Amino acid sequence: GAGVSQTPSNKVTEKGKYVELRCDPISGHTALYWYRQSLGQGPEFLIYFQGTGAADDSGLPNDRFFAVRPEGSVSTLKIQRTERGDSAVYLCASSLPGVAGELFFGEGSRLTVL
Amino acid sequence: AQKVTQAQTEISVVEKEDVTLDCVYETRDTTYYLFWYKQPPSGELVFLIRRNSFDEQNEISGRYSWNFQKSTSSFNFTITASQVVDSAVYFCALTGSGNTGKLIFGQGTTLQVKP
């Protein structure tokens, strides 16, 4: 399809395990964002890529979280030593450059840490 | 600090009623953008509208209208003649001038429209 694609849609893991979440943005969208949404809350910003580089990673909660976008398209959010508090829906969004805030979101990856 | 407050957690109306969703924001930026997003049960947030801080004109799009008032730091959203398909969680959001993709979202208002 033409939208933002996220995989897996659901991920259940045990505390302490490593997890990767993938985002495939809309073709031609140079900006890519990761947000995290806990139950009953609004999305919280994690990191923003412009092309291959992380332009703003101020929202990453700690050094267990890391994201890459090596070729300026697909991005992977990596979480090491998962904790129960990491359980949330991780949302990816992309946008065209210069179009302030008009983000196209994927359906999210629901992470559950047991 | 930047903050968005949506005081209404849940609203329930009957189809064809008008409903207004409130949004109050805080920012020290002189240039900023305000947004509304809709999140249906499928979970995918959908962009509805963007307003920049220099444009206080109200906007109407079909059954949707938005009232931006800088004097009260509010950006309210009205749905006229609501329909069951309008049932969703609605988020108001704010961004600064520096990183226009770093949105600060409110907690959301769950709107239920009953037939």
Side-chain angles (χ1 to χ4, degrees):
Chain A
V4 176
S5 176
Q6 292 188 244
T7 55
S9 54
N10 274 288
K11 176 70 177 179
V12 180
T13 191
E14 293 179 344
K15 181 184 170 188
K17 299 290 188 183
Y18 170 79
V19 165
E20 287 190 354
L21 307 175
R22 175 190 165 107
C23 173
D24 199 342
I26 293 172
S27 177
H29 283 193
T30 56
L32 185 146
Y33 310 83
W34 284 98
Y35 283 78
R36 179 168 72 173
Q37 186 175 22
S38 300
L39 191 63
Q41 303 294 315
E44 292 178 303
F45 172 81
L46 294 177
I47 187 170
Y48 155 56
F49 288 91
Q50 184 58 257
T52 60
D56 183 349
D57 64 356
S58 60
L60 294 177
N62 52 58
D63 61 6
R64 296 187 297 106
F65 288 75
F66 190 71
V68 295
R69 194 186 186 197
E71 297 177 357
S73 178
V74 171
S75 176
T76 305
L77 178 65
K78 308 181 180 193
I79 309 173
Q80 299 178 320
R81 305 183 304 281
T82 52
E83 298 177 356
R84 291 194 181 88
D86 299 335
S87 297
V89 176
Y90 290 82
L91 298 167
C92 178
S94 68
S95 72
L96 290 167
V99 185
E102 186 172 347
L103 306 184
F104 293 80
F105 281 85
E107 292 188 352
S109 292
R110 180 177 299 276
L111 175 65
T112 303
V113 182
L114 301 177
Chain B
Q2 295 174 303
K3 185 179 178 182
V4 175
T5 301
Q6 293 180 255
Q8 304 149 311
T9 306
E10 292 184 23
I11 300 177
S12 181
V13 299
V14 176
E15 204 169 23
K16 297 184 183 176
E17 284 185 16
D18 298 348
V19 58
T20 295
L21 310 181
D22 298 332
C23 173
V24 173
Y25 64 92
E26 295 174 31
T27 182
R28 292 181 180 174
D29 290 340
T30 54
T31 302
Y32 53 89
Y33 295 89
L34 294 161
F35 307 84
W36 277 94
Y37 277 80
K38 175 181 181 179
Q39 188 174 40
S42 63
E44 188 175 332
L45 282 115
V46 176
F47 168 86
L48 295 178
I49 190 172
R50 170 183 57 244
R51 252 311 174 240
N52 77 51
S53 50
F54 297 107
D55 183 2
E56 287 192 70
Q57 274 194 325
N58 292 334
E59 183 159 340
I60 298 174
S61 176
R63 295 183 298 106
Y64 295 172
S65 63
W66 292 269
N67 184 327
F68 175 30
Q69 291 196 340
K70 231 170 167 176
S71 60
T72 55
S73 297
S74 65
F75 186 44
N76 296 338
F77 172 30
T78 297
I79 302 175
T80 302
S82 59
Q83 299 176 1
V84 172
V85 293
D86 295 328
S87 297
V89 183
Y90 290 86
F91 291 97
C92 181
L94 164 72
T95 193
S97 55
N99 179 353
T100 55
K102 183 177 179 178
L103 301 183
I104 310 298
F105 284 87
Q107 291 198 315
T109 297
T110 300
L111 174 64
Q112 183 180 33
V113 181
K114 298 178 181 176

